[in-house]
Amino acid sequence: MKVCPRMTVSSQVRSITLALAIGATGGLVAVFLNIPLALLLGPLFATMVAGLAGARINVPDGLRTSVMTILGAFLASKFTPDVVTSMAQWPLSLASVPLYIAISTAIAGFYFHRVAKLDRISSIFAAVPGGLMVMIAIGGTSGGDERRIAISHILRIVIAVFIVTFILWGVFDVQRDQSDMLTSGLDADMVQLGMVMLIAGLGTYVAHRMGLPAPQFLGPLVCIAPLYITATVTVAIPGPLLAVGLWVLGCSIGSRFAGFDHRILARLAGHTLISVGLLLLISSGTAGLLYLVTGIPFIAGLLAFSPGGIAEMSLIALALDIDPAYVVIHHLLRIGICILAAPVLGTLLKDKSR
């Protein structure tokens, strides 16, 4: 029986509204309980639980991309003239990214294959620390199990977000007044702000058309960051936009669990937790060495080399004001390398499996 388009649209609107409402409730509860990064973790946890319980929720890619473009502009606005001076410390740190990817993939891939008992191709593509959609697509066409690869990556992002946030809060006592976010930048110059948002949107569109990785970040970064570095633009983007971005992003991540196979999820959850723990040990070691050699703060290095998603780790840096420019550049490089390496990796693994 053919479904009426109006019913389809109505169903989509209901699923989006329900996801955002559940996320907002989770965010308010998290704020009340004073949970760190409440506006991201509250919606994430609430929608994840609802999705696993069978709620028909969804945050479409279009809404996520729109919000990510605003957040990309936020990140670009952190590229102040002082960043140019700080970049002198970055070459060794940036050169460490490919090594981090290789070691992380090897260790996590070995664990998934030998301990979790995934097939070799699924193990490697589940282990690569970045490029979720690319790893699912290329891993599947190379002979891997798309469901297991997808679940492993989504769990990796969620677990990394929770663990890193609570490490920063519980171990390093990194806190920020969450109400401050809702009142900052309210006196912004609307003309400059409108211009920045227009450029951000155009940058995202061009980056997407060019097929660049993380276009919603790279587009605004390339187009807007030079304006802030040269102090051509100085407008502070209002904090409420960041709050909305955190809320929508949390709902987007959590709603991905809707309709997941509970058996596969339960089997992989523990293994992914252990693999993320191993990767965070590598991240911590890398951050510690960089601090000793270059003086880059340990917590900035930990965020830059954490195995979470680019949006999630960059927003944690932005929300907690932990050197966002340094963090986002490292994650962009990580994602770019992972995406470029994926087709080569797929070809090599297919040849070996013949």
Side-chain angles (χ1 to χ4, degrees):
M1 184 176 71
K2 199 170 183 179
V3 179
C4 173
R6 182 179 294 178
M7 288 178 62
T8 302
V9 172
S10 175
S11 176
Q12 290 175 346
V13 170
R14 282 199 302 270
S15 68
I16 295 168
T17 304
L18 181 59
L20 295 178
I22 292 171
T25 303
L28 289 173
V29 171
V31 169
F32 178 75
L33 296 175
N34 199 31
I35 291 173
L37 212 62
L39 294 177
L40 175 66
L41 299 189
L44 194 165
F45 184 75
T47 50
M48 180 177 68
V49 171
L52 290 173
R56 295 184 177 181
I57 56 176
N58 178 49
V59 176
D61 289 339
L63 178 57
R64 177 185 168 93
T65 300
S66 298
V67 170
M68 289 297 98
T69 297
I70 295 173
L71 296 173
F74 249 107
L75 288 167
S77 72
K78 298 300 179 180
F79 281 71
T80 60
D82 293 339
V83 169
V84 178
T85 304
S86 301
M87 284 181 178
Q89 295 179 290
W90 296 5
L92 181 61
S93 183
L94 291 170
S96 302
V97 173
L99 184 61
Y100 165 78
I101 293 170
I103 294 173
S104 297
T105 301
I107 291 176
F110 179 85
Y111 178 85
F112 278 128
H113 184 53
R114 296 292 181 147
V115 181
K117 303 301 181 184
L118 269 63
D119 64 87
R120 186 179 298 277
I121 294 174
S122 298
S123 297
I124 295 298
F125 279 96
V128 176
L132 183 150
M133 298 309 298
V134 174
M135 297 307 143
I136 295 170
I138 296 180
T141 57
S142 301
D145 188 323
E146 288 186 2
R147 292 178 305 167
R148 286 174 169 78
I149 295 171
I151 290 173
S152 297
H153 276 283
I154 294 172
L155 282 172
R156 168 180 60 82
I157 292 170
V158 171
I159 292 170
V161 166
F162 275 95
I163 292 178
V164 169
T165 301
F166 280 93
I167 287 175
L168 295 176
W169 176 61
V171 178
F172 295 98
D173 197 28
V174 175
Q175 299 183 39
R176 183 174 175 181
D177 184 355
Q178 297 177 103
S179 63
D180 176 60
M181 190 184 300
L182 300 175
T183 57
S184 65
L186 295 180
D187 58 347
D189 183 325
M190 290 296 111
V191 175
Q192 278 200 16
L193 181 62
M195 181 181 71
V196 166
M197 289 305 167
L198 177 61
I199 295 172
L202 291 173
T204 297
Y205 175 77
V206 171
H208 178 72
R209 296 286 294 179
M210 292 176 65
L212 298 177
Q216 66 270 35
F217 285 106
L218 195 55
L221 196 65
V222 170
C223 296
I224 298 174
L227 300 178
Y228 278 91
I229 289 174
T230 58
T232 304
V233 172
T234 57
V235 64
I237 301 177
L241 289 178
L242 176 57
V244 170
L246 291 170
W247 165 48
V248 174
L249 179 63
C251 294
S252 174
I253 301 169
S255 65
R256 286 175 172 172
F257 287 89
F260 266 15
D261 187 318
H262 288 68
R263 292 169 299 175
I264 298 176
L265 183 66
R267 180 170 176 266
L268 284 177
H271 291 303
T272 305
L273 176 61
I274 293 172
S275 72
V276 170
L278 293 172
L279 296 184
L280 284 173
L281 287 176
I282 299 170
S283 304
S284 300
T286 305
L289 287 172
L290 288 172
Y291 170 71
L292 292 174
V293 176
T294 67
I296 292 171
F298 177 83
I299 55 174
L302 179 63
L303 270 178
F305 286 90
S306 289
I310 179 174
E312 295 74 23
M313 293 299 111
S314 299
L315 283 178
I316 291 174
L318 186 61
L320 299 178
D321 198 23
I322 302 173
D323 208 344
Y326 171 80
V327 173
V328 71
I329 289 295
H330 281 70
H331 280 285
L332 282 170
L333 178 60
R334 173 177 61 84
I335 297 298
I337 292 172
C338 289
I339 290 173
L340 290 173
V344 178
L345 196 58
T347 301
L348 290 173
L349 291 171
K350 273 199 294 187
D351 289 344
K352 284 186 177 182
S353 64
R354 286 174 185 170

